Amino acid sequence: MKCLLLAAGYATRLYPLTENFPKPLLKVKDKTILDWLIDDIDSLGIIDEYVVISNHKFVEHFNNWSKEKSVKISVVDDMTTSNENRLGAVMDIKFAIDSLSLDDDMIILAGDNVLDFSLTHFIKYALEKNASCVMRYFEKDEKRLKKCGVAEIDASDRLISLEEKPEVPKSNWCTPPFYFYKKEDIKLINRAISDGCGVDAPGSLVGWMCKHTAMFSMEMPGNRFDIGSLESYNEIKNTYKGIIK
């Protein structure tokens, strides 16, 4: 199984802190955000390669960081240089798959999220379902719902639909950027893009995919902390207590 970490963004909301440094390598307590994610996932012992998808501006930061890790990490440079010419998350996923000829089940994560729960629960859930899967959490604030991917779920946890940034949310289920794809499903990415799937947000691929293959949704067992400003970054540095297994 492969783990793809989306890290090609420019985090402009965190300038000047991230003007010349990638957000996923910011430290929270004694680790970078990426280290928290990888160290947690690797405790399950089933990932044979981690793929970090970077932009050209920050690729050397990730290359230098990866040399200190004991796990196999491949850093892919998507060759973009600014927020204006970025590829978008779905195109970055395709770029990494094509560049490394990946042909495996994969967990795909935004590389800039801090969690207080272990993602191993999600991976185990997906393996038990033997299907592509996402996570979800209940969001009561309609304004926030309009800024995220909103999912419709049936009684068996099957994903019926997912819409990114809906004008009229169809539920209160928000889908964070953590996805598990069976290898036969992620192979459909080229078809999804040809069909007009949005390429900026990774949830757009899920929205297309759940219409063409069975996907399930696990309720998130803890909290996700979005670092979207200097204030929120300072707050999480002071309050974060780590991952509860």
Side-chain angles (χ1 to χ4, degrees):
M1 186 186 299
K2 304 294 188 284
C3 178
L4 272 64
L5 295 142
L6 301 172
Y10 291 88
T12 55
R13 291 185 298 164
L14 280 173
Y15 278 15
L17 187 63
T18 54
E19 191 166 5
N20 294 296
F21 192 80
K23 180 179 175 183
L25 294 184
L26 293 177
K27 282 201 170 183
V28 175
K29 299 299 184 184
D30 60 338
K31 293 184 183 182
T32 70
I33 297 172
L34 271 187
D35 285 325
W36 280 109
L37 292 171
I38 289 176
D39 292 351
D40 169 43
I41 295 169
D42 208 58
S43 67
L44 203 55
I46 62 173
I47 303 295
D48 55 34
E49 182 179 11
Y50 294 86
V51 179
V52 176
I53 308 165
S54 170
N55 57 56
H56 188 66
K57 182 178 181 180
F58 294 144
V59 68
E60 282 309 307
H61 289 287
F62 290 110
N63 283 331
N64 292 333
W65 161 82
S66 68
K67 293 173 185 177
E68 304 298 321
K69 299 293 290 181
S70 59
V71 297
K72 181 180 179 182
I73 295 178
S74 299
V75 179
V76 176
D77 180 359
D78 75 359
M79 300 307 294
T80 69
T81 55
S82 72
N83 203 47
E84 288 67 40
N85 66 13
R86 69 187 188 279
L87 297 182
V90 176
M91 292 302 293
D92 271 325
I93 293 168
K94 170 178 162 52
F95 186 86
I97 291 172
D98 292 346
S99 297
L100 300 178
S101 300
L102 300 178
D103 183 23
D104 205 345
D105 295 344
M106 58 184 67
I107 181 168
I108 301 176
L109 317 170
D112 60 355
N113 283 262
V114 178
L115 310 174
D116 67 3
F117 65 92
S118 175
L119 282 166
T120 60
H121 301 302
F122 175 54
I123 298 173
K124 290 175 183 177
Y125 172 89
L127 293 176
E128 288 172 3
K129 288 291 188 182
N130 192 28
S132 296
C133 295
V134 299
M135 280 197 287
R136 69 184 192 272
Y137 63 88
F138 189 86
E139 177 57 69
K140 62 181 181 180
D141 188 329
E142 185 175 359
K143 289 183 179 179
R144 292 183 180 178
L145 283 169
K146 290 181 177 182
K147 295 179 180 179
C148 66
V150 176
E152 290 182 287
I153 312 295
D154 72 11
S156 68
D157 285 345
R158 181 157 176 170
L159 186 63
I160 300 170
S161 72
L162 189 143
E163 183 180 2
E164 284 286 352
K165 299 180 179 179
E167 186 59 37
V168 181
K170 294 178 180 178
S171 79
N172 291 92
W173 290 120
C174 189
T175 302
F178 310 113
Y179 318 101
F180 176 88
Y181 286 107
K182 296 284 291 181
K183 71 174 183 178
E184 56 267 28
D185 291 340
I186 198 62
K187 286 180 179 179
L188 298 174
I189 190 169
N190 289 333
R191 179 180 160 194
I193 294 169
S194 296
D195 277 358
C197 164
V199 298
D200 191 41
S204 297
L205 180 60
V206 176
W208 182 92
M209 197 75 69
C210 70
K211 300 295 186 183
H212 296 83
T213 188
M215 294 191 75
F216 292 86
S217 176
M218 169 186 160
E219 190 165 358
M220 206 164 71
N223 299 297
R224 164 183 170 247
F225 305 98
D226 180 29
I227 299 173
S229 66
L230 292 173
E231 182 181 15
S232 61
Y233 176 50
N234 288 327
E235 181 179 356
I236 194 65
K237 284 196 298 180
N238 292 328
T239 61
Y240 187 60
K241 297 180 180 179
I243 292 173
I244 299 172
K245 292 288 186 177

